[in-house]
Amino acid sequence: MVELKTDTSIDAMYEAGQVVAQALTAVREAAGVGISLLELDEVAHQVLRDAGAGSPFLGYRPSFAPVPFPAVICASVNDAIVHGIPTGYRLRDGDLVSIDFGAELGGWVGDSAISFVVGTPRPADLHLVETAERALAAGIEAAVVGNRIGDIAHAIGTVCRAAGYGIPDGFGGHGIGRRMHEDPPVPNEGRPARGLPLRHGMALAIEPMLIAGGTDEYHAAADGWTLRTNDGTRAAHAEHTVAITDAGPRILTAR
């Protein structure tokens, strides 16, 4: 069931979204060669404390997970696509990092993700990240009243496939609001003019995920959470929480 949010609720989600934006900005600024993923998790955790916000990630345990998620960020490095658990791993020059983060404030949730390169970037990695951001922008542009979920999926998939990248099968965005994961699912590839009609008050987490090697295949790592590319190539992830409004898409996690 899809919950339509009131304008007041969307404003409240924006407040949660701005905590997310602040945390991702702080993590990006703190990331550097020699910094551990656990240190980045603590940076984000401190933003939550300062804002009086909670984490929808910490302790989250969906049906596939062997253990509750132990951190407030997902930190996925190089061939890790999403859901990476922060460890003592220290970032190296040229690492491609994706950080996914959520915050709960006043009973509402925001969710967003960024990808970036630490130190000296490889041109191929910069292109991968830029394409993920373009795919996200295309999906948001399609998130207008009168369109359908398939229009968002088609916009994202078109950008990704045109660049020759893979799209992890079965993973995509989702509805969001009082909980991190709500209806409807938002695929990263699909046919236009299909699926649920978009209405004022819907809130969606739109999140393209790209695999550099062009395949769609991945596997779960031994920790049961991290998804890695089967071909060992790098991955990128970009995400915003977006409200569908009569005035156009409103990005609630804008940085």
Side-chain angles (χ1 to χ4, degrees):
M1 179 177 177
V2 176
E3 177 191 7
L4 297 179
K5 281 72 177 178
T6 65
D7 291 346
T8 299
S9 296
I10 290 173
D11 287 341
M13 288 187 68
Y14 176 80
E15 295 303 318
Q18 289 311 289
V19 176
V20 176
Q22 292 165 20
L24 288 176
T25 298
V27 168
R28 177 67 184 91
E29 291 174 350
V33 175
I35 300 298
S36 77
L37 300 181
L38 284 173
E39 288 171 326
L40 295 183
D41 186 68
E42 177 54 29
V43 168
H45 210 156
Q46 189 59 52
V47 173
L48 288 176
R49 295 188 194 101
D50 291 344
S55 171
F57 287 22
L58 184 62
Y60 180 60
R61 188 179 184 182
S63 59
F64 68 80
V67 296
F69 196 76
V72 302
I73 64 171
C74 294
S76 306
V77 181
N78 296 332
D79 66 326
I81 307 166
V82 287
H83 303 165
I85 295 176
T87 65
Y89 175 83
R90 295 192 176 276
L91 294 172
R92 302 171 183 173
D93 187 53
D95 276 347
L96 173 53
V97 184
S98 297
I99 302 292
D100 193 355
F101 178 79
E104 182 177 2
L105 185 68
W108 297 98
V109 178
D111 186 12
S112 184
I114 57 173
S115 293
F116 55 87
V117 179
V118 173
T120 308
R122 300 190 297 187
D125 289 341
L126 293 179
H127 187 258
L128 180 65
V129 171
E130 186 269 338
T131 304
E133 292 171 348
R134 282 197 298 111
L136 175 58
I140 293 171
E141 186 177 0
V144 297
V145 173
N147 272 359
R148 293 175 177 266
I149 290 290
D151 293 301
I152 298 175
H154 178 71
I156 292 170
T158 296
V159 172
C160 297
R161 296 301 189 190
Y165 296 132
I167 301 170
D169 185 43
F171 279 85
H174 48 89
I176 186 170
R178 298 182 186 277
R179 293 175 289 111
M180 181 166 58
H181 292 126
E182 297 183 352
D183 289 332
V186 185
N188 284 329
E189 192 169 32
R191 298 175 65 182
R194 298 295 181 94
L196 189 71
L198 303 180
R199 299 171 58 190
H200 179 90
M202 292 175 66
L204 307 174
I206 300 173
E207 51 177 323
M209 308 163 194
L210 285 65
I211 297 175
T215 73
D216 299 350
E217 298 175 352
Y218 60 88
H219 63 276
D223 61 23
W225 275 99
T226 309
L227 300 184
R228 295 190 178 277
T229 63
N230 276 8
D231 61 8
T233 61
R234 295 187 168 195
H237 179 204
E239 178 184 18
H240 271 309
T241 295
V242 180
I244 312 297
T245 79
D246 290 329
R250 181 182 179 187
I251 304 174
L252 305 181
T253 48
R255 294 179 287 278

